[in-house]
Amino acid sequence: MRRGRAAGLPLLAALAAGACAEPGAPGGEIPYRPDRRDYAAFRAAHPDLLEPNYLPFMVHRIPSEGPEGDYLVFCRWSAESMPLPVYIGSPSLPEALQDEFHLQDPAAYVAAVEAALSEWEGELEDLVRFRRVARPEQAWLEIALVGEEAPVPDREHRVLGLTPLKGACRSRGPDPDAERLEVAFRVPELRIYLADRFGLLEPDQVEWIALHEIGHALGMRSHSPIPADLMYEVVRDRVSVRGLSSEDVNSFVSLYRLPNGAIFRRLPPGEPEARKPSPPPSGAPQLALAPHVSSRLGFAVRPPTGWTRAETAQGMVAVDGVTWDYSASFQVIVQRYPTIEAYLERYGPAYLSHGWLLKNSFTERNGLRAFEAVIEDFEHRFVEHLTFIESGDGRLIVVIADCPVEAAEAYRPWFEAALGSLEIWRSPGRRSPVASGAEGAVR
């Protein structure tokens, strides 16, 4: 996990929501940039939030004339509005967009949207429910399936979906306890375009677009900063359907469990205050008592205590901070490669494409063949410590630890301690370690 994780992703298609179509903040104010210290203060008052999440990217800005500045609030449909009446219109598909050898059925697109609605209901633990209605005038939310080629606002983006959010959250002022605003949320329509420059999209692609846009219609003002999330801004060209990530689920479940109109922060007028970077750790390294155990991939590891951890498709990551704003990260990835050389032949150039190779050497980790490298990015901002370990059964364990260059010495013992706790099992699913408590430093 590196800073600027979104950098380098192909901007082949963008899902534009109100947050994209309406840049900036009301009245020309400088947009709010989420900060983990703001989130920590909010979380202290709401300790039951699910982690990890991207809640600060979901807030709506409510103007205020008071000296304390504008409100940043969480705004969503009320419990009384559930099940939410939804109308899905059957699309008209122009003959010019159809492929004569692969005709698309309008009903398949309607079914794709229905599947997206069902997935949101299932993932959000019944906090959100929908009810299909027969006519648009009966609906509180209309989903328009547009049989047209998606608009292209610039050379790098294609707007596959649009959910206007300007004015979606309206406030009648603070309630007596001043911890929330009295709010009303309403999004009357979202639009999904069914074609791009290649022709009509497949129904599963429309399902993905619908999933994303429904997320905006449920209350998310901006986008997730994490590329793996459904609510991330940019998608691959003609992407197939993917479901909600754990961070998507945690964020929306938390949103619908919070009091509607809960105040995240007040924004003082004028320029945002300058904030100093969080200090690196000090003292002897402290590891979490409970390890992260992956029976599926065959490893266990204890990250530094207090670090936010998240499971990934190929392992786990722990960060000093939150997943969208952190000072350092420690990541374990399990790959199916028999040797270190085979893996580096495929991926070595990618590692070296963003920095200088400072050190590299073959070594052993508790009897297992290993290779270690240190890379510093070309702009001298951060340093990566990489360790590659052959498990002996066709897997390669890749450990990546990174931090700012100026904090490298402070973080080094914490990386060493976490790596030293790594257990690798001969067969995934059977905890029979072939390597544990590995000695040595991450150099």
Side-chain angles (χ1 to χ4, degrees):
M1 181 178 289
R2 293 186 288 274
R3 280 142 201 78
R5 283 167 292 178
L9 286 176
L11 301 179
L12 298 179
L15 295 176
C20 292
E22 303 149 10
E29 295 283 350
I30 297 173
Y32 169 68
R33 289 190 173 185
D35 186 284
R36 75 195 203 206
R37 282 156 288 199
D38 292 341
Y39 174 71
F42 181 79
R43 193 183 189 287
H46 301 274
D48 296 330
L49 299 177
L50 299 180
E51 299 279 2
N53 65 61
Y54 47 71
L55 278 171
F57 294 82
M58 306 179 86
V59 294
H60 294 246
R61 185 167 182 159
I62 302 296
S64 171
E65 296 181 358
E68 293 181 320
D70 295 347
Y71 294 93
L72 294 178
V73 303
F74 296 103
C75 202
R76 54 170 175 79
W77 297 96
S78 66
E80 292 73 26
S81 66
M82 301 296 168
L84 191 67
V86 176
Y87 174 78
I88 309 171
S90 180
S92 174
L93 303 179
E95 186 176 343
L97 292 176
Q98 287 277 20
D99 181 342
E100 62 178 315
F101 301 106
H102 183 54
L103 295 176
Q104 295 290 358
D105 183 356
Y109 292 126
V110 175
V113 175
E114 291 176 331
L117 293 170
S118 296
E119 181 160 352
W120 275 109
E121 286 183 324
E123 293 285 9
L124 299 196
E125 305 174 1
D126 246 6
L127 292 167
V128 168
R129 290 172 291 120
F130 302 99
R131 174 171 60 90
R132 286 285 305 278
V133 295
R135 298 191 302 275
E137 60 268 22
Q138 298 173 319
W140 288 19
L141 173 63
E142 180 177 353
I143 301 178
L145 296 172
V146 184
E148 300 174 4
E149 183 177 341
V152 183
D154 58 60
R155 295 178 62 182
E156 293 184 323
H157 294 80
R158 185 175 298 272
V159 180
L160 297 173
L162 180 66
T163 304
L165 290 174
K166 186 175 182 179
C169 181
R170 298 186 179 276
S171 171
R172 294 187 291 269
D175 75 348
D177 63 14
E179 293 181 358
R180 57 181 292 271
L181 300 184
E182 293 286 349
V183 297
F185 183 76
R186 185 74 183 269
V187 178
E189 180 189 64
L190 66 84
R191 296 169 66 85
I192 298 172
Y193 292 91
L194 302 182
D196 63 9
R197 64 184 182 276
F198 300 109
L200 288 171
L201 300 172
E202 295 293 330
D204 62 348
Q205 295 163 341
V206 171
E207 182 180 343
W208 196 99
I209 300 166
L211 279 168
H212 181 101
E213 295 304 326
I214 291 167
H216 288 301
L218 289 176
M220 184 166 186
R221 182 67 178 84
S222 185
H223 288 99
S224 166
I226 310 299
D229 293 339
L230 169 74
M231 296 309 298
Y232 185 65
E233 180 177 13
V234 178
V235 299
R236 304 301 199 277
D237 204 20
R238 298 181 72 85
V239 68
S240 293
V241 65
R242 294 178 297 168
L244 281 70
S245 70
S246 59
E247 293 194 51
D248 290 314
V249 173
N250 290 347
S251 300
F252 278 90
V253 169
S254 296
L255 172 66
Y256 273 80
R257 286 178 176 172
L258 284 168
N260 204 7
I263 299 171
F264 177 70
R265 192 193 167 196
R266 297 293 297 271
L267 287 182
E271 294 288 332
E273 69 273 21
R275 299 200 175 188
K276 296 181 179 179
S278 298
S282 59
Q286 301 290 324
L287 298 184
L289 292 177
H292 177 92
V293 178
S294 178
S295 298
R296 176 177 60 90
L297 296 173
F299 76 88
V301 69
R302 292 169 59 203
T305 185
W307 286 31
T308 301
R309 65 175 81 175
E311 188 169 1
T312 66
Q314 294 176 288
M316 67 85 64
V317 62
V319 296
D320 185 9
V322 290
T323 53
W324 43 267
D325 182 12
Y326 59 89
S327 300
S329 72
F330 182 90
Q331 187 169 11
V332 180
I333 304 168
V334 179
Q335 300 278 13
R336 280 289 174 184
Y337 276 83
T339 65
I340 294 167
E341 288 84 353
Y343 180 82
L344 291 180
E345 182 178 358
R346 174 67 177 84
Y347 292 105
Y351 286 111
L352 294 175
S353 66
H354 63 269
W356 307 100
L357 180 62
L358 302 183
K359 298 178 181 178
N360 68 100
S361 63
F362 280 93
T363 183
E364 284 192 355
R365 286 285 175 180
N366 203 33
L368 296 180
R369 187 168 181 258
F371 180 77
E372 297 179 349
V374 178
I375 297 176
E376 184 177 315
D377 80 304
F378 291 130
E379 297 180 1
H380 307 289
R381 296 173 302 155
F382 64 89
V383 61
E384 280 187 334
H385 303 269
L386 302 109
T387 304
F388 308 90
I389 306 171
E390 294 177 0
S391 68
D393 59 0
R395 289 175 296 149
L396 189 73
I397 314 301
V398 182
V399 180
I400 305 174
D402 80 274
C403 66
V405 170
E406 62 273 14
E409 289 303 314
Y411 277 106
R412 182 184 304 194
W414 296 75
F415 293 157
E416 292 173 353
L419 180 58
S421 75
L422 179 65
E423 294 183 9
I424 303 171
W425 312 327
R426 178 70 69 185
S427 299
R430 297 178 60 190
R431 194 165 183 175
S432 176
V434 297
S436 63
E439 299 294 329
V442 181
R443 291 183 286 274

